[in-house]
Amino acid sequence: VVAPYGAAMLGSAMSVALKLRQAGASVDTMLEPRRRVAQAFDYADRAGADFMAFVAPDEWAADTICIKSLRAPIPQSVMAGLRRVEAIPTVGDDRTQGEEEVEPKQAVVALSMLQPAVHELLSWAASLRQDPSPASSQSLS
């Protein structure tokens, strides 16, 4: 699911959706931005999406978008080709403050790297559907 941050970002979200489709992803674009970010995530989850691409002004100005995994943390091996990665704690996380290696659920992806990133993420998501055990997410490359 591609979600714009407000009506002003709808054109940019449509552009991202086109790029994702060209990369082979099945994409649903939210044409009516939600009032709260949580509502956009809820919509994507109910739609059964594996990922949500969130198109916001600050990231767009930096030629990036935020891609969030809705099903599982993204293994470090999948993140290797991405420009920069942020680990975002979620409700119920049992991460400790001193923990160094955290598998994030969110990645900020450079638009120039969107196609290879999408291929990597789609391949990983397909492997999760085949073997959803925690060990499979650890050994993906």
Side-chain angles (χ1 to χ4, degrees):
V1 171
V2 177
Y5 180 87
M9 297 305 299
L10 185 56
S12 301
M14 298 294 277
S15 173
V16 167
L18 176 63
K19 290 179 184 196
L20 291 170
R21 286 184 187 104
Q22 289 171 338
S26 174
V27 178
D28 180 9
T29 305
M30 293 179 65
L31 299 177
E32 295 180 25
R34 301 299 193 252
R35 290 183 184 176
R36 294 181 302 140
V37 174
Q39 291 175 322
F41 287 113
D42 289 343
Y43 171 84
D45 187 47
R46 284 191 317 271
D50 291 322
F51 302 99
M52 187 176 102
F54 194 65
V55 184
D58 290 344
E59 286 83 2
W60 191 254
D63 290 325
T64 63
I65 62 166
C66 177
I67 297 178
K68 180 167 172 93
S69 171
L70 301 175
R71 305 288 165 227
I74 304 168
Q76 293 296 328
S77 59
V78 174
M79 298 303 235
L82 303 181
R83 180 175 174 212
R84 90 184 166 222
V85 177
E86 233 176 88
I88 305 297
T90 57
V91 175
D93 270 355
D94 57 353
R95 299 176 187 164
T96 61
Q97 236 178 345
E99 194 172 354
E100 288 189 25
E101 198 164 322
V102 175
E103 290 186 336
K105 291 194 83 172
Q106 176 170 304
V108 178
V109 180
L111 291 174
S112 62
M113 294 182 70
L114 189 56
Q115 187 166 6
V118 167
H119 286 290
E120 190 74 23
L121 291 169
L122 290 176
S123 174
W124 168 65
S127 69
L128 279 182
R129 282 189 288 279
Q130 292 172 2
D131 181 11
S133 68
S136 68
S137 66
Q138 300 291 324
S139 63
L140 296 173
S141 57

